[in-house]
Amino acid sequence: MTPTGYRFLTRLSVPMVLAYLWWRGRREVNYRVGLRERLALGEPLSGMGGRIWVHAASVGEVRAVVPVIEGLQRAGHALLVTTNTPGGRAALEQACDDGVAIAYPPLDTPGAVERFMAHWRPCAGVFVELELWPNRLLALAKAQVPVVMVNARLSERSLVCYQRLGELMPRALEGVRCVLAQTSADQARLVQLGIPAERIQVAGNLKFDQALDETQISAGQALRRRIGPGRPVWVAASVREGEQDAVLTAHALLRETCPDALL
């Protein structure tokens, strides 16, 4: 697929995307509240240019990137931070001070992206994990705005899906100057996607580098005392609907060789 073809298809998708967000708003009303923002229909701003645009998909990515946000602020940079979900936005509002601008990102359509770029005029982009939206990347590259990907990951399945888009992704990724990948496997797949190997470094997972406060440490220590000092424990985190049976099956197999294992 060419960039022109992708732009055409995303223009056609706008009604469907808006309908989906409105439907999501049945349970989380903030999905409806932010529709104008996602279309970048706000009033033109003055004095807001020159910010680094940091984008994190949702709550988990927001929490992972908070140390990066704080580091950029200490270095004197003005920031715009966007997230896709109301939960992510609430996490940002709790974690960031008043000097950080917080918004929903534009839908990946030509009109929304162009209005967003004119509205904010970012000087650089920092995208967390797997946020490869072609229209956004193409617009940043056209404006010669450098992009850095942090905590980057790319599964084999996602790689195959992106490769089906043909020349689109390599073209969109031309403006990516630096990638900090989670693992060497992610690094290899990102090279296959079209990012030059010399622009990619393996830096581990930001989610494992978060500092714990004393309350969290005390709660963890108390839980371990209740469980017992030597009892093996494993955690099934972020289990989605339909995955519980697989988790329970795995636990039953584990208990055949480790009877006191705790899930």
Side-chain angles (χ1 to χ4, degrees), residues 58 61 153 157 236-247:
S58 191
E61 292 79 12
R153 61 183 177 86
R157 180 179 178 181
S238 299
V239 176
R240 300 183 181 183
E241 186 176 353
E243 296 176 343
Q244 297 93 333
D245 290 343
V247 169

Side-chain angles (χ1 to χ4, degrees), residues 15 38 44 67 73 129 136 172-173 175 188 208 224 251 261:
R38 294 177 194 273
Q73 281 194 290
E129 293 203 5
R136 297 179 195 173
L173 293 167
F208 299 153
R224 172 47 80 180
H251 188 57

Side-chain angles (χ1 to χ4, degrees), residues 14 29 37 39 49 54-55 68 72 76 94 106 108 120 134 150 162 165 187 211 215 250:
V14 172
V29 68
E37 205 167 280
L39 291 168
V54 180
H55 177 68
V68 176
L72 289 170
Q94 184 177 17
D108 200 47
W120 290 103
V150 300
Y162 283 128
L165 297 176
Q187 180 185 36
T215 301

Side-chain angles (χ1 to χ4, degrees), residues 2 14-15 28 49 56 96 160 168 176 193 218 237 240:
T2 65
V14 172
E28 285 191 79
C96 298
V160 171
L168 175 63
V176 175
L193 190 60
S218 297
R240 300 183 181 183

Side-chain angles (χ1 to χ4, degrees), residues 93-123:
E93 290 170 349
Q94 184 177 17
C96 298
D97 61 36
D98 293 339
V100 176
I102 297 172
Y104 288 119
L107 299 181
D108 200 47
T109 62
V113 170
E114 288 166 10
R115 288 190 294 271
F116 180 90
M117 291 289 291
H119 191 82
W120 290 103
R121 303 186 306 282
C123 65

